[in-house]
Amino acid sequence: MAQHTPSEPTTSDAPPASRLPRTIAAVVLVSLLAVQPAAAQSSAVCSADNLPSMIEGFFQLTTALGIVGLAVVWQADSLIEIFTLSPDRKKGLKRHKRSAMKSAVVLVVLGPLYTVAGSLMNLPLATCVDLVPW
């Protein structure tokens, strides 16, 4: 049985950074091969009878629930903040309110952004589905 010497690196001793380019190349190759059939089938969503309106309704529902969730979280955090004496706890609550606001803004902006950017890039789904929640 041959012994391993420190001067002979093996594949298991190679640092992860040296395997990164091969991994990225493999992911890109697989995604290019996998995207071609998916791109050919993307018009099936637009040709379905009720699917575009169902997608629009789902997006409007989730956006409305996200905004209601923001209001509930904001009010609950404000109420808890009134009865909190610790400055660290108050800072944590303010951080939580900010993160809830950021999430709601992303939720509200994402649909119109996809609709505008998708139509500019000629994405088939953006032509038949309107993701503007209002």
Side-chain angles (χ1 to χ4, degrees):
M1 194 168 199
Q3 288 188 348
H4 172 68
T5 60
S7 62
E8 299 173 10
T10 63
T11 56
S12 63
D13 292 340
S18 67
R19 286 185 252 155
L20 187 62
R22 283 185 279 162
T23 305
I24 291 174
V27 168
V28 168
L29 181 65
V30 168
S31 65
L32 285 175
L33 294 174
V35 166
Q36 293 299 333
Q41 298 172 359
S42 62
S43 64
V45 171
C46 295
S47 64
D49 288 336
N50 294 330
L51 194 56
S53 62
M54 286 174 63
I55 293 171
E56 290 172 5
F58 177 76
F59 190 78
Q60 289 172 353
L61 179 68
T62 55
T63 302
L65 289 176
I67 292 171
V68 168
L70 167 68
V72 168
V73 166
W74 193 275
Q75 291 301 318
D77 282 351
S78 296
L79 183 65
I80 294 170
E81 197 174 354
I82 291 172
F83 298 109
T84 302
L85 298 176
S86 168
D88 291 336
R89 180 77 172 137
K90 284 187 179 189
K91 286 180 186 176
L93 288 168
K94 287 185 187 220
R95 236 185 346 261
H96 187 250
K97 285 167 54 174
R98 272 196 308 268
S99 69
M101 179 63 84
K102 288 177 187 177
S103 298
V105 167
V106 166
L107 187 64
V108 170
V109 169
L110 205 59
L113 183 65
Y114 176 79
T115 302
V116 171
S119 63
L120 289 175
M121 294 187 291
N122 294 325
L123 296 176
L125 188 63
T127 59
C128 66
V129 176
D130 184 19
L131 295 180
V132 178
W134 49 85

